[in-house]
Amino acid sequence: DKSRDYIKYSCENNYGLACDETGKYRRYLWADSYDYFKKGCNLKVGDSCYYVSLQIEDQKRKRNILTKACDLNSSKACRSLARLYEDGKYVRYDEEKSLLLFEKSCKLGDTQVCYELGEKYYSEDNILKRQKEKALEYFGLSCDFGSEKGCLKYKKLSTEFL
């Protein structure tokens, strides 16, 4: 199809987003798509770097690619990196760093992370100790980004807090 040919041509001419799109289209052929994602990553497309990280076994290298992808505003990469620090898996456990990365992922539009942050700030069991305003803020963002669950929780908590 002509549009895919044009996108592939654009990638070959160093347009990073075209490489990312070509990689996503060819994702069922990982070996083929990896080359497009790698080129997209080299052209500073964050989501391409995230997809490259999925193919890397070496954990230090994977973390470095995820960091690069997050720095390039890939919400998926920020979420993955945050989970590494939250779990202390292959990196030192760091609750503060994890939280900052989750917040960045949320602000980049990850509705699920926004909702989870709302729950973290609302939960009495959590280290964040029921910070109601923060909980409301993240449930609101989750709603703004299209999460029905986030909207329902926001409505419930906003009537509770008034």
Side-chain angles (χ1 to χ4, degrees):
D1 133 324
K2 286 187 179 194
S3 62
R4 285 197 183 94
D5 290 341
Y6 179 74
I7 292 172
K8 188 176 176 184
Y9 171 80
S10 296
C11 175
E12 290 165 358
N13 286 286
N14 296 324
Y15 183 63
L17 290 174
C19 297
D20 187 63
E21 285 303 313
T22 303
K24 286 175 184 170
Y25 171 70
R26 303 177 71 88
R27 215 177 343 182
Y28 64 93
L29 300 168
W30 269 113
D32 189 31
S33 67
Y34 178 82
D35 292 334
Y36 288 103
F37 287 134
K38 189 172 180 183
K39 184 169 185 173
C41 182
N42 290 337
L43 293 169
K44 300 185 182 340
V45 177
D47 280 348
S48 284
C49 296
Y50 168 75
Y51 288 114
V52 166
S53 78
L54 296 177
Q55 295 298 305
I56 295 174
E57 297 288 327
D58 177 81
Q59 292 303 315
K60 184 176 181 182
R61 192 165 159 242
K62 181 182 210 118
R63 186 180 69 241
N64 290 340
I65 295 288
L66 284 172
T67 299
K68 176 181 179 179
C70 182
D71 290 346
L72 292 169
N73 294 326
S74 168
S75 64
K76 295 176 194 86
C78 295
R79 176 188 349 117
S80 294
L81 205 51
R83 293 212 194 289
L84 290 179
Y85 285 102
E86 180 181 57
D87 296 341
K89 193 171 186 179
Y90 307 112
V91 294
R92 286 186 187 193
Y93 169 82
D94 190 331
E95 179 76 22
E96 188 176 327
K97 191 168 196 167
S98 172
L99 187 60
L100 289 171
L101 289 163
F102 277 132
E103 287 174 349
K104 181 173 182 176
S105 180
C106 170
K107 291 181 177 161
L108 289 169
D110 189 325
T111 60
Q112 183 60 39
V113 167
C114 294
Y115 186 85
E116 290 173 15
L117 279 169
E119 287 292 345
K120 283 178 186 265
Y121 281 109
Y122 186 66
S123 169
E124 290 182 25
D125 304 337
N126 196 284
I127 195 168
L128 302 174
K129 303 280 191 257
R130 284 187 66 90
Q131 296 180 33
K132 295 175 185 176
E133 296 78 19
K134 281 282 209 187
L136 203 56
E137 174 188 350
Y138 287 109
F139 286 129
L141 283 170
S142 178
C143 179
D144 293 345
F145 291 132
S147 167
E148 183 179 352
K149 197 163 96 172
C151 293
L152 293 172
K153 195 73 164 206
Y154 180 84
K155 182 179 179 183
K156 179 183 179 223
L157 293 182
S158 60
T159 57
E160 225 177 80
F161 294 154
L162 296 177

